[in-house]
Amino acid sequence: MYGRLAFESITYAMRARELLVADRQIARGGSFNIIRLRQNETPRGCAYGIELAREDLLRAAAILSNARIKFTILQ
Amino acid sequence: MEGAKEVYAARRLAAELFGASPERVAFTLNTTLALNVAIKSAHRDKGGAILISDLEHNSVYRPSVMECSDVRIFDSALELSEPERTEAILESIKEKCSHGSSRFDEVRVLVCTAASNIIGASMPIHEIGKFCRERGIFFIVDGAQAGGTLSLDVKRDFIDVLCLPSHKGLYGPMGAGMMILGEDVNMQTYLEGGSGVNSRDVIMPELSPERYEAGTLPLPAIAGLRRGMELVKAKTPEVIYAHEAKLSAYLKRLLRQKLDDRVKLYAPQFDGGIVLFSLRGYDSEEVASLLDEHGIATRAGLHCSPLAHDRIGSEGAVRVSFGMFNTPREVVELSNVLASIK
């Protein structure tokens, strides 16, 4: 099962991807590709996401918070 | 997405070269636009007076004057050597900051070139940045002449916004520039338009860099800039600077030997890869035109820096600006052509 992280900046999405790909403890269950989120996932219209395994969401959130990268978790 | 990856790679490289993180690198179309955005956004936030150096290019002088009725100018102390020069510059800054009796007269924004585009003289950016940070003055640096040769670090040097071009010392094409923002800088926007994110919001995104990048980015220029920065990183700014300084010192020596008092060198004590001179009896444009006939490209006139020319007592001169690909042989050829002008 996958979850998504949403970003309001493609630059932040790319930075996040760099950090997550570099982390050895995160399972490689998701694609780590940066995707455009669907309009109904983004109330402010237009955002980017990274898809990853559900079990990695918590760790990913910690990594990104430490790096001061703003994100939202989409279940 | 491939285009976005290219842009991100360029951000990452710029961040590495200038002590920032990639999301603090915002692309513009050139340094002039970066400076306009930085100066006007900062002044609209902070108010007060704007302080600039007496060496500033019109891309600093003009937007400052259009934006603020109280633009003050501090002395670059060109006649002095270090460490007296830095002390004198800071004294001049302090003196200009202490004008006025109300908070509305305070200097809230200081803009300074890292190196003059007509004589290559560098400014003590670190010391000026420290001064500004201690007093809560927003510090903008024009890195147009220094980017790629002098060490500039946004964090280490207390810089709030560093503005840079693609097409000078970073060896990219014309058509791109950068604003590199300090970590906690968050300015009002000056340009608004499409941002690719949060499209339903009426205002620009909160997060940099998209906050400061309205409209389509100049992707081909950014891709070229990326390649240029890779070259600078591989060679290192220190090596490039040493090469340029050596060539400019060599040219000055040859001009003195071959032309004697027919040539006037301006501020020859600075070896920043630039030589500024005039030939007795010739307008600078005539000299540049004659050099052009020999396939030698220089620039004549005021170089969009009338303040700097006034400071050194020039009414227009010829500027030779060296890069990493110039050679000593070219210096000799240039001096021979100048010597042949009767």
Side-chain angles (χ1 to χ4, degrees), chain A residues 9 11 15 18 44-46, chain B residues 12 23 199 201 206 210:
Chain A
S9 156
T11 306
R15 183 108 148 86
E18 267 183 349
R44 295 169 81 179
C46 306
Chain B
R12 179 154 267 314
E23 56 274 18
S199 301
D201 286 356
E206 293 109 32
E210 285 83 0

Side-chain angles (χ1 to χ4, degrees), chain B residues 262-318:
Chain B
R262 283 197 295 134
V263 71
K264 179 179 168 123
L265 294 171
Y266 294 94
Q269 67 274 28
F270 296 105
D271 275 329
I274 286 180
V275 176
L276 190 76
F277 69 93
S278 56
L279 278 195
R280 196 173 62 210
Y282 286 88
D283 183 88
S284 60
E285 302 288 353
E286 284 179 288
V287 176
S289 184
L290 286 165
L291 289 171
D292 183 55
E293 288 170 13
H294 287 84
I296 300 171
T298 58
R299 189 174 167 198
L302 296 174
H303 312 95
C304 300
S305 294
L307 274 185
H309 276 273
D310 284 348
R311 178 61 177 84
I312 61 170
S314 148
E315 290 180 1
V318 181

Side-chain angles (χ1 to χ4, degrees), chain B residues 137-196:
Chain B
I137 296 172
F138 197 89
F139 184 37
I140 298 167
V141 174
D142 175 1
Q145 201 61 41
T149 49
L150 297 179
S151 171
L152 290 168
D153 185 302
V154 163
K155 189 173 180 183
R156 180 198 69 200
D157 298 329
F158 310 103
I159 299 170
D160 290 305
V161 185
L162 171 62
C163 301
L164 296 153
S166 163
H167 67 280
K168 287 182 180 261
L170 296 177
Y171 295 89
M174 293 177 186
M178 296 185 277
M179 285 195 306
I180 303 188
L181 303 158
E183 205 56 41
D184 297 318
V185 168
N186 185 22
M187 301 187 292
Q188 276 188 45
T189 57
Y190 180 71
L191 287 175
E192 292 84 22
S195 60

Side-chain angles (χ1 to χ4, degrees), chain B residues 2 17 24 47 49 74 82 86 88 102 114 116 128 151 159 167 199 217 232 245 302 329 331:
Chain B
E2 289 308 307
L17 282 170
R24 307 304 284 166
F74 70 88
E82 295 299 348
T86 295
S102 81
S116 164
I128 296 174
S151 171
I159 299 170
H167 67 280
S199 301
L217 290 178
V232 169
L302 296 174
R329 190 180 208 172
V331 172

